[in-house]
Amino acid sequence: MDKLSVMQAFRRIVERGSFARAAEDLGVSPALLSREIKLLEESLGSSLLTRTTRSMSLTDAGRLYYDEASGILDAVTSVETRIRDGAGAVRGHLKVNASSSFGQTVISPILPEFLEAHPDLRLSLSLDDRVVDMVEGGFDVSIRIRPAMPDSALVARKIGTMRQRIFAAPAYLARAGTPEGPEDIAGHRVIGFLLADHLTKWALHGPSGATTLDLDPAIRVGNSLVLRDLLIAGQGIGTLPDFVSNEPERRGDLVRVLPEWELPAPEIFAVTASRLGMDAKVTAFLDHLRAAMEA
């Protein structure tokens, strides 16, 4: 039994969630893949997968084997890459995925300097406000903003924290009045972000503790940059992440509403598919991104 090949096959089965899809990826038959995993389980004296006609799940032993085998495979890939391309060489094709707003306001401005520093690198940047399948899309790294990352076959590394505050244009507040407390928000025209967990429920924390607002946004959009522009145009009150609000707030186009109150601060994660690991090009990109975010 070729242990590395079996490890790779087992990891692909776990990541793809089925023998059939893993077999298609690997160019073998599902029956052959099933026999290989059965031999592996027999050699270990333990069941790694619980299978039914409709579902598949890892046993405790399977989770342990998956985690350890992934580390071994990533280490082998890293060594081979360093030998083939030169230790620490930043080259090849880097495929990055991020939300539209984060990509346009944070990633786009840093790309020229990053690409000039690494002229041998090819780059594909995909911007999508919905969560994508990294394995299906073949992405090296995806930037995701979440309160926490769920357990999965993906590897998430925290690279920052996002502040989420309430904003409106001075003209809107002059016309509609400035809320003096969270309870006043419901009396205003609220603009909501369709993909946010807080579309209709704002969990705010401030000087007097925590409070939750149940809202029915009159306007709902699926892009933070569109939401920003509507707020600047005086169309209502809404929440924005700091990387979207910083510039219009600095210019005075937007002002904070209830400045002592904020929504929970989600984390910014760099997510990689474990089979891809953290090679030189991903490490260089994330180092450059962290430095820009901390500046």
Side-chain angles (χ1 to χ4, degrees):
M1 182 188 300
D2 182 342
K3 280 294 180 69
L4 282 179
S5 294
V6 174
M7 284 181 183
Q8 290 170 337
F10 181 74
R11 181 159 67 170
R12 186 61 63 90
I13 291 166
V14 174
E15 292 175 352
R16 296 288 275 145
S18 90
F19 277 72
R21 288 193 291 267
E24 183 179 353
D25 287 352
L26 297 170
V28 299
S29 70
L32 175 61
L33 210 53
S34 182
R35 284 197 300 271
E36 289 289 327
I37 299 306
K38 184 177 180 181
L39 289 173
L40 173 62
E41 290 175 326
E42 289 175 353
S43 72
L44 296 172
S46 183
S47 175
L48 302 178
L49 296 168
T50 300
R51 283 162 277 182
T52 67
T53 55
R54 294 190 176 184
S55 65
M56 181 190 75
S57 61
L58 285 169
T59 64
D60 289 343
R63 171 57 62 184
L64 175 62
Y65 190 86
Y66 172 82
D67 290 341
E68 295 298 324
S70 294
I72 293 169
L73 292 170
D74 288 343
V76 171
T77 299
S78 177
V79 169
E80 291 177 343
T81 300
R82 291 175 64 188
I83 292 174
R84 183 173 54 249
D85 296 335
V90 179
R91 61 183 65 175
H93 190 180
L94 175 64
K95 299 184 70 176
V96 180
N97 168 260
S99 70
S100 297
S101 55
F102 190 89
Q104 292 182 59
T105 59
V106 179
I107 295 179
S108 178
I110 71 171
L111 286 182
E113 183 180 358
F114 175 69
L115 293 172
E116 287 177 11
H118 307 291
D120 294 330
L121 187 70
R122 297 174 60 209
L123 174 73
S124 293
L125 174 61
S126 171
L127 302 182
D128 196 321
D129 285 317
R130 298 187 182 274
V131 175
V132 300
D133 186 319
M134 290 193 60
V135 177
E136 290 276 342
F139 294 108
D140 295 294
V141 61
S142 177
I143 307 301
R144 298 184 182 174
I145 302 172
R146 297 285 183 274
M149 289 297 298
D151 291 336
S152 72
L154 302 177
V155 178
R157 299 167 177 85
K158 177 183 171 182
I159 61 172
T161 300
M162 184 192 81
R163 306 290 293 276
Q164 186 89 352
R165 303 182 177 99
I166 309 169
F167 290 92
Y172 172 83
L173 296 176
R175 181 175 71 252
T178 299
E180 296 183 1
E183 66 280 359
D184 296 333
I185 294 291
H188 283 263
R189 192 183 197 195
V190 174
I191 305 176
F193 182 43
L194 277 170
L195 304 180
D197 295 335
H198 61 273
L199 173 63
T200 59
K201 191 180 293 289
W202 291 6
L204 301 175
H205 57 89
S208 58
T211 187
T212 300
L213 306 179
D214 291 313
L215 302 170
D216 182 18
I219 305 171
R220 307 178 182 205
V221 297
N223 182 283
S224 292
L225 300 180
V226 175
L227 198 158
R228 175 203 63 190
D229 291 345
L230 287 171
L231 293 178
I232 291 173
Q235 293 301 305
I237 287 175
T239 66
L240 288 175
D242 51 10
F243 56 82
V244 173
S245 65
N246 285 341
E247 185 59 25
E249 183 182 13
R250 184 189 65 79
R251 294 195 307 262
D253 294 337
L254 293 175
V255 296
R256 293 188 199 177
V257 176
L258 303 176
E260 295 183 327
W261 293 84
E262 294 186 19
L263 281 81
E267 311 292 357
I268 304 173
F269 294 98
V271 183
T272 59
S274 57
R275 67 182 178 84
L276 299 176
M278 281 279 286
D279 61 12
K281 62 182 182 291
V282 175
T283 299
F285 174 74
L286 293 182
D287 286 347
H288 193 77
L289 178 58
R290 284 194 195 94
M293 291 171 61
E294 293 170 357

